[in-house]
Amino acid sequence: IEEKYQTKINIVSADVSKKTEINNVLSDAVDNFGTLDGIFHLAGNIGGGMIQLKKDEDESDIFKPKIDGTRNLIDLTQNKNLDFIVFFSSTASILAPFGLVDYSAANAYLDAVCHAKSNQTTCHLITINWDMWSDVGMAIDSEMPGDIRKLREANREYGILSHEGIE
């Protein structure tokens, strides 16, 4: 393949809720590649449990990656001339499954902000509302209260298979 058609990808881990960390990642990307074409935002925490029994810090862990992270990425990329930002959301923003009201709200915020801001920028803001994957992902890896874990296990057979998600 000719050099001009090669794609370079840099996978970085940073706390998207911390503006300085994201700003550093964006600066490093421009320093390393000369330009930044797009961003995939995959951050999130699933949590689980009755909202009435949660502590403020539990909710904060759920909200930070989706709410603060979305806000930070949009704010810090306004003048970067990006082609796209793809935000990984969840069907939970639409279906609001039992015990995940905070996760549902965080994803609904992400969806709403992307929709509202999409008319104010030349950057394509896209949300993908993923369903549960059957063999990998937050629904499989996260610690959840017993009742929610049992419900998740019962629904695993209907989840997206890894090869389907990649496709």
Side-chain angles (χ1 to χ4, degrees):
I1 297 177
E2 292 181 38
E3 179 66 31
K4 67 180 181 177
Y5 295 112
Q6 290 184 356
T7 300
K8 295 179 183 178
I9 298 173
N10 188 23
I11 299 171
V12 178
S13 179
D15 186 341
V16 74
S17 70
K18 295 181 179 172
K19 207 169 201 171
T20 55
E21 286 189 33
I22 296 307
N23 196 41
N24 290 339
V25 167
L26 295 172
S27 295
D28 288 347
V30 171
D31 290 346
N32 288 327
F33 299 108
T35 185
L36 186 61
D37 298 317
I39 296 172
F40 289 87
H41 172 272
L42 288 69
N45 293 315
I46 198 165
M50 291 180 56
I51 198 75
Q52 297 90 332
L53 302 177
K54 289 191 166 207
K55 299 175 182 144
D56 289 345
E57 58 268 14
D58 295 334
E59 294 169 19
S60 180
D61 289 342
I62 307 305
F63 293 150
K64 281 182 179 181
K66 298 289 184 178
I67 295 174
D68 296 341
T70 300
R71 189 179 304 128
N72 288 340
L73 280 173
I74 290 173
D75 288 350
L76 290 170
T77 58
Q78 281 183 354
N79 300 317
K80 300 281 188 212
N81 213 16
L82 292 176
D83 293 333
F84 65 88
I85 304 175
V86 177
F87 293 92
F88 281 30
S89 184
S90 170
T91 56
S93 67
I94 302 158
L95 303 174
F98 173 76
L100 297 176
V101 68
D102 47 358
Y103 183 69
S104 298
N107 282 284
Y109 173 88
L110 186 153
D111 295 346
V113 167
C114 286
H115 179 74
K117 295 283 188 180
S118 66
N119 294 327
Q120 300 171 11
T121 180
T122 58
C123 177
H124 296 288
L125 302 177
I126 303 160
T127 58
I128 299 175
N129 296 89
W130 290 100
D131 201 348
M132 181 178 87
W133 288 40
S134 64
D135 52 351
V136 296
M138 289 191 306
I140 305 304
D141 298 334
S142 296
E143 292 295 321
M144 292 184 246
D147 292 343
I148 296 171
R149 170 63 63 193
K150 287 178 189 171
L151 183 61
R152 280 288 163 170
E153 289 298 322
N155 288 321
R156 262 179 91 168
E157 68 181 283
Y158 304 108
I160 298 169
L161 299 172
S162 292
H163 75 274
E164 294 170 329
I166 292 167
E167 200 175 289

